Amino acid sequence: MTMARIDHGVTTGTFSLDGETFDVDNNIWVMGDDTACVVIDAPHSVDDILAVVGRRRVTAIVCTHAHDDHVRVAPDLARATGAPILLHPADAPLWALTHPDVAPDADLADGQQIAVGGISLTVLHTPGHSPGSVSLYAPDLGVVFTGDTLFHGGLGATGRSFSDADLIVDSIRRRLFTLPDDTIVHTGHGPSTTIGAEAAALGR
């Protein structure tokens, strides 16, 4: 029996919303064992993601939210792997901006458990950066994947369409800062951090 682990890569592309486009680097996060894994978000390049996956079977493509830099290659990745795309339904309007003719395969729900590699990811609905933003908590590994909700050095951006500054603060304080302080925070962009470090900086 192999142990569950987290593998990481970085891929480069663009983010577009509200008529503006920016160059961005996105983290690729893959969690599982030597046989099967889940891919968290689908940014920019199928080849870059598959390089992190390796020969493993992908059981799900779990989207933290539906901004285009996180879901742009999700349908192509699904076709390449046979894995379903999972997205919180509140982000359906954002998804449709990038993929008007393709729907996700299944909805994510708060409290849902996604099993892989002998452990589970718990879906935490953490709206604010977008209405359907979720974080994915793996207590057995002591990590949470926060997408663009919480970063090293602060909270996610809320200056664009579909975002809510008050809501993201509430989500972080109620759903993330209540996790153990030593929980490692794996983010959508940039370096990882811990719950304790960010709670100390932002205030619970």
Side-chain angles (χ1 to χ4, degrees):
M1 178 178 174
T2 58
M3 298 293 291
R5 67 179 192 272
I6 296 164
D7 295 291
H8 174 243
V10 177
T11 185
T12 298
T14 61
F15 163 63
S16 298
L17 189 65
D18 298 335
E20 294 184 278
T21 297
F22 305 90
D23 294 328
V24 287
D25 293 336
N26 284 60
N27 289 318
I28 298 166
W29 297 109
V30 176
M31 192 186 86
D33 57 19
D34 288 343
T35 303
C37 62
V38 297
V39 174
I40 297 168
D41 290 334
H44 308 314
S45 166
V46 171
D47 287 344
D48 287 350
I49 296 167
L50 292 180
V52 180
V53 168
R55 297 187 177 186
R56 292 175 287 178
R57 178 172 57 92
V58 179
T59 59
I61 301 160
V62 187
C63 302
T64 63
H65 64 294
H67 283 149
D68 65 349
D69 58 320
H70 290 257
V71 302
R72 182 175 289 110
V73 301
D76 290 339
L77 184 63
R79 283 188 286 270
T81 62
I85 301 166
L86 312 182
L87 177 73
H88 194 284
D91 261 17
L94 269 173
W95 170 275
L97 295 177
T98 304
H99 301 297
D101 302 319
V102 181
D105 297 293
D107 290 342
L108 290 173
D110 186 62
Q112 179 178 344
Q113 302 285 314
I114 300 169
V116 65
I119 64 173
S120 288
L121 282 170
T122 300
V123 177
L124 306 175
H125 185 209
T126 50
H129 181 68
S130 69
S133 284
V134 300
S135 298
L136 304 163
Y137 180 42
D140 291 333
L141 296 180
V143 304
V144 62
F145 302 92
T146 56
D148 288 3
T149 294
L150 182 65
F151 291 111
H152 180 278
L155 46 78
T158 55
R160 300 192 174 276
S161 298
F162 303 97
S163 64
D164 185 313
D166 292 334
L167 194 53
I168 198 171
V169 171
D170 182 65
S171 290
I172 290 169
R173 287 187 168 148
R174 285 192 310 105
R175 306 309 305 276
L176 297 180
F177 285 175
T178 53
L179 300 177
D181 278 355
D182 61 355
T183 302
I184 297 169
V185 178
H186 289 320
T187 63
H189 310 269
S192 298
T193 182
T194 65
I195 290 294
E198 298 314 311
L202 293 173
R204 281 193 164 88

